[in-house]
Amino acid sequence: MRKTASMTGPIRVVVSGTGSEVPTRVMANAAFESMIDTSDEWIRTRTGIRERRFIEPGDTSATLGVRASRKAIESAGISPDEIDLIICATITPAMMSPTNACIIQAELGCRPVPAFDLAAACTGFVYALSVADAMMRSGTVRHALVVGAEVLSKALDFTDRNTCILFGDGAGAVVLSRVDDANAEASNRGLSCFQLHSDGRRGDLIQMPSSVTDQTPNAEGQLHPGQQYLWMHGREVFKFAVQRLTDILRQAMAECEARGVTLDWVVPHQVNQRIIDSALDHTGFPGERVMVNLDRYGNTSAASVPIALDELLRTGRASTGQTLLLVAFGGGLTWGSALLGL
């Protein structure tokens, strides 16, 4: 790793650049009507999703991640040679080895820096931010690239209307930069207040197999759906997501009040409009300050938060000095959040 100057002052880890990439192939709700018993209205009223993107042959989560990363690096105004760390959050890697992060490192032409994947399902990007933040505060990492990239279309059962309509493909990336500032402690800028959780006892509510998943049939000679495709217990997952989003939003609102700052925006995992609306009803947080784009992209798992964050910043809706809550929840079960001061 490149040696850097001694950094002994107060530290902030800020988002210095963002980028995202979604496939060009649009899968509108109507496309599912010939596959399963559903309709555009049925999907919209139950999820808020109108369309999602699926990759074309030849693309992978790694190729999407590369393109999102290039945009983030350009947005940060640095070169790939200045990246000191790469973490890719994904549960749909192009290969188990080499990892997406290593593929991204090679394609970008970065130096031989630490590069690894992290698997925490839909919460993966928030987990990856936390790991990068800790490494930047304790080591010599000046700029880190954190990516969320998924191709859930590769793991769907297109005869199961409870799951196949929900997911899409995409990638989002951020460049984190370490800033040494004597006034850092008085500033709200940067990442803070990470909250990371898991409950593996309820892991059977959301499952997705891999190439090494046990394929043992049951007594009737059938495989559990979770051994072949992404599978979830929709009703229980819905209740879990509403409770966790509500809890995290309440905690963030209280934390911001204690700091004397306003929580300006919530950037949630894009999973279901009814889940978001329910949490807003419980907390009173205004819906016009929640970044939602799931109507166009569906649930892109670890990619959903960075895609939404990139859109929020590039469209100018969020501005310098504002405070954002990044929050996600998903398989594992996992959930987590972070505050981000711009």
Side-chain angles (χ1 to χ4, degrees):
M1 184 178 295
R2 172 186 296 171
K3 292 184 178 180
T4 60
S6 175
M7 297 180 279
T8 58
I11 297 166
R12 288 178 291 179
V13 175
V14 305
V15 171
S16 56
T18 64
S20 60
E21 179 75 12
V22 294
T24 57
R25 180 159 65 117
V26 177
M27 287 287 291
N29 289 342
F32 291 90
E33 293 176 1
S34 62
M35 305 179 196
I36 51 176
D37 179 17
T38 193
S39 67
D40 172 59
E41 192 226 358
W42 190 90
I43 297 171
R44 282 189 293 104
T45 56
R46 286 162 176 77
T47 68
I49 300 170
R50 295 177 181 272
E51 61 186 35
R52 72 288 293 145
R53 306 295 183 92
F54 284 175
I55 59 168
E56 298 282 6
D59 252 335
T60 68
S61 58
T63 61
L64 295 178
V66 168
R67 296 198 285 271
S69 297
R70 287 196 174 112
K71 295 175 183 177
I73 291 171
E74 180 181 4
S75 171
I78 63 174
S79 70
D81 187 58
E82 295 178 83
I83 296 295
D84 301 309
L85 168 69
I86 301 172
I87 305 175
C88 182
T90 184
I91 53 170
T92 54
M95 301 182 69
M96 295 305 295
S97 181
T99 63
N100 272 9
C102 286
I103 295 171
I104 291 168
Q105 181 267 337
E107 289 296 317
L108 294 178
C110 299
R111 296 173 293 111
V113 298
F116 57 91
D117 286 0
L118 184 153
C122 301
T123 320
F125 181 75
V126 176
Y127 268 60
L129 286 180
S130 176
V131 172
D133 178 86
M135 293 180 70
M136 295 175 78
R137 291 178 184 277
S138 64
T140 56
V141 175
R142 175 66 74 178
H143 300 291
L145 177 64
V146 181
V147 185
E150 303 283 17
V151 287
L152 274 302
S153 63
K154 294 286 190 179
L156 298 178
D157 177 359
F158 287 97
T159 67
D160 178 8
R161 75 171 185 171
N162 294 315
T163 57
C164 70
I165 63 171
L166 299 176
F167 296 94
D169 303 338
V174 301
V175 173
L176 301 181
S177 297
R178 176 172 170 155
V179 177
D180 302 283
D181 188 343
N183 297 317
E185 293 179 353
S187 171
N188 192 49
R189 189 181 177 212
L191 289 165
S192 64
C193 199
F194 283 99
Q195 298 286 334
L196 302 179
H197 306 277
S198 69
D199 184 0
R201 295 168 299 179
R202 306 182 71 196
D204 61 337
L205 295 184
I206 308 174
Q207 296 182 353
M208 194 178 82
S210 75
S211 60
V212 295
T213 300
D214 182 22
Q215 298 292 314
T216 304
N218 60 22
E220 289 74 37
Q222 301 296 317
L223 294 176
H224 186 280
Q227 293 176 287
Q228 304 171 78
Y229 305 103
L230 187 153
W231 179 90
M232 67 180 185
H233 192 303
R235 184 169 299 182
E236 291 302 314
V237 170
F238 184 95
K239 291 190 290 185
F240 155 76
V242 169
Q243 184 61 60
R244 295 312 176 195
L245 180 55
T246 300
D247 290 345
I248 288 175
L249 184 49
R250 282 175 174 157
Q251 292 167 8
M253 293 167 68
E255 175 67 22
C256 287
E257 182 178 3
R259 293 185 183 188
V261 300
T262 301
L263 180 58
D264 298 288
W265 284 95
V266 173
V267 184
H269 170 45
Q270 309 291 307
V271 57
N272 186 306
Q273 187 64 54
R274 292 195 300 164
I275 290 173
I276 295 171
D277 290 343
S278 182
L280 297 181
D281 288 342
H282 282 92
T283 61
F285 192 84
E288 64 270 17
R289 287 171 24 208
V290 180
M291 176 59 208
V292 177
N293 60 9
L294 71 90
D295 58 314
R296 286 173 285 127
Y297 303 129
N299 180 349
T300 56
S301 189
S304 75
V305 170
I307 291 174
L309 176 62
D310 180 52
E311 182 175 332
L312 180 66
L313 298 181
R314 286 182 183 267
T315 56
R317 278 175 277 180
S319 57
T320 300
Q322 291 189 328
T323 301
L324 284 55
L325 173 67
L326 311 180
V327 53
F329 36 84
L333 295 173
T334 58
W335 62 101
S337 65
L339 289 176
L340 171 62
L342 299 180

